[in-house]
Amino acid sequence: MEPLFGVVLGLILAVASPAHNSCTCATNKWAVCAQDSPGNCTCRLPGSDHPLDCTTLTSKCFLMKAEMTPPKEKRLWRPPHGLSDSDGIYNPDCEDSGAFKARQCNQSSTCWCVSTAGVRRTEKGGRSLSCGELVRTRWIYLELTHRRSSGAFAAPAVAKALRQLLENRYKLRPKYIAAIKYDPPLIQIRLEQNEKPRWDVDIADAAYYLEKDVSNDSVFHSDSRLTISVNGDALAVEKLWVYYVDEKPPEFCMRQLAAGIAAVVTVVVLTAGVGVAVLLVLRWLRTRTYKKFECKEMREMKAP
């Protein structure tokens, strides 16, 4: 009887094990997943109670919050990149949908307004700062460079490979990929999204996933290393720059610009003043020398 019980138990574990292992989030390796019931796997991110939709990309806001949430291990924890207050990664306030709230604040009661991409678009202020609507990031410009050892590729082949990458890996619809330009080793990509239906991937989320891939910190659960193949040859991307353009201009005040202009004016005035002073001194020395020479000649003429 006992051997039979052991066989049955082994079969149960063998069947249950694959089901347990399959409870993962394909689009987010940071997700914590649990098998609620047979065939029902629920995944959540650290720092958020909202279930994830693992058939699409996780919102940038939820990703940043997960990155800034300390792990549960009992050890000293340092935020990623060691930043506590910067325009890069911070611990954001997110809507239930995963969108950024228009106003973001840190622990020191400093607040600022952001766009749908989570990028600061105003000067920093206090808790009384009002942001109003969440301004949409309409365009995102991506600039990538690849290793020169990768060789030169035909521009149409590079554009085709990158379009396939953006559509398949980052789930962007083709209409949001406005343009791709290749000038070896520079690759320029323009993403455009005037409005985003709820079921579409946000271009800011796709750009953030790409940033993570290029920095070898992929968010995807499996097959995480970024590989781009152009006609069978690997295109090795080594650097990435991301530029955001909102549908409304940013609202930065002119204090920094005024300070820069004042500094330039001060330098020009000081330089001009020093130049004038030098000219006056040289003129005075020349006049003094001339007078001494004239007096000496007069004395010699009067001498018997």
Side-chain angles (χ1 to χ4, degrees):
M1 186 67 181
E2 291 184 358
L4 180 60
F5 176 77
V7 172
V8 173
L9 180 61
L11 289 175
I12 293 175
L13 292 176
V15 172
S17 180
H20 176 74
N21 292 336
S22 64
C23 188
T24 57
C25 188
T27 57
N28 199 318
K29 69 178 181 181
W30 300 336
V32 178
C33 303
Q35 195 85 34
D36 297 338
S37 60
N40 185 23
C41 178
T42 303
C43 299
R44 290 179 171 84
L45 275 181
S48 173
D49 293 329
H50 302 290
L52 293 181
D53 181 0
C54 293
T55 64
T56 187
L57 303 188
T58 307
S59 74
K60 180 180 177 181
C61 192
F62 282 163
L63 288 177
M64 289 174 60
K65 178 170 283 294
E67 290 183 86
M68 295 300 292
T69 300
K72 294 182 179 180
E73 297 92 281
K74 295 181 179 180
R75 58 181 175 85
L76 293 178
W77 177 77
R78 177 181 60 83
H81 314 300
L83 299 176
S84 57
D85 182 18
S86 70
D87 292 337
I89 187 172
Y90 55 91
N91 190 359
D93 293 324
C94 309
E95 302 285 359
D96 291 343
S97 62
F100 287 92
K101 291 187 177 181
R103 191 186 73 165
Q104 299 291 329
C105 300
N106 61 15
Q107 295 179 350
S108 62
S109 299
T110 299
C111 300
W112 61 93
C113 302
V114 300
S115 64
T116 54
V119 178
R120 182 167 66 91
R121 48 177 285 107
T122 66
E123 296 289 349
K124 294 182 179 181
R127 290 280 180 181
S128 60
L129 178 67
S130 176
C131 294
E133 64 175 332
L134 182 66
V135 177
R136 172 141 202 89
T137 294
R138 180 181 178 186
W139 293 332
I140 293 182
Y141 291 86
L142 305 170
E143 292 188 355
L144 308 91
T145 58
H146 67 79
R147 297 173 189 164
R148 293 185 179 274
S149 59
S150 299
F153 300 92
V158 171
K160 180 180 178 181
L162 290 173
R163 283 185 180 275
Q164 291 177 345
L165 176 78
L166 293 169
E167 292 174 23
N168 298 332
R169 186 174 178 88
Y170 304 112
K171 306 183 186 304
L172 275 181
R173 297 180 64 183
K175 67 177 183 178
Y176 299 138
I177 308 171
I180 298 177
K181 184 178 180 181
Y182 178 50
D183 183 16
L186 179 66
I187 302 169
Q188 295 175 301
I189 303 174
R190 190 182 77 197
L191 306 178
E192 183 175 353
Q193 194 175 49
N194 296 327
E195 58 182 7
K196 190 195 82 66
R198 182 177 55 83
W199 52 84
D200 280 350
V201 169
D202 196 301
I203 56 175
D205 299 342
Y208 198 64
Y209 266 74
L210 179 59
E211 283 188 87
K212 291 295 183 182
D213 278 340
V214 173
S215 62
N216 292 323
D217 186 22
S218 178
V219 182
F220 290 102
H221 187 271
S222 60
D223 191 22
S224 59
R225 184 170 292 276
L226 176 65
T227 56
I228 305 174
S229 177
V230 180
N231 291 334
D233 295 325
L235 179 71
V237 175
E238 59 180 355
K239 291 183 180 180
L240 170 66
W241 297 269
V242 184
Y243 303 93
Y244 303 90
V245 180
D246 299 338
E247 61 184 8
K248 293 183 179 180
E251 301 174 6
F252 294 107
C253 68
M254 300 297 290
R255 284 181 297 181
Q256 294 179 347
L257 180 60
I261 294 175
V264 172
V265 171
T266 301
V267 171
V268 171
V269 170
L270 288 176
T271 303
V274 171
V276 171
V278 170
L279 290 175
L280 291 175
V281 170
L282 291 175
R283 183 177 179 183
W284 177 76
L285 291 174
R286 186 170 56 189
T287 303
R288 182 181 179 187
T289 302
Y290 175 78
K291 288 183 177 180
K292 286 184 177 180
F293 179 76
E294 187 180 36
C295 292
K296 181 178 180 182
E297 284 189 339
M298 292 291 293
R299 287 196 299 270
E300 290 179 349
M301 290 177 61
K302 291 180 180 180

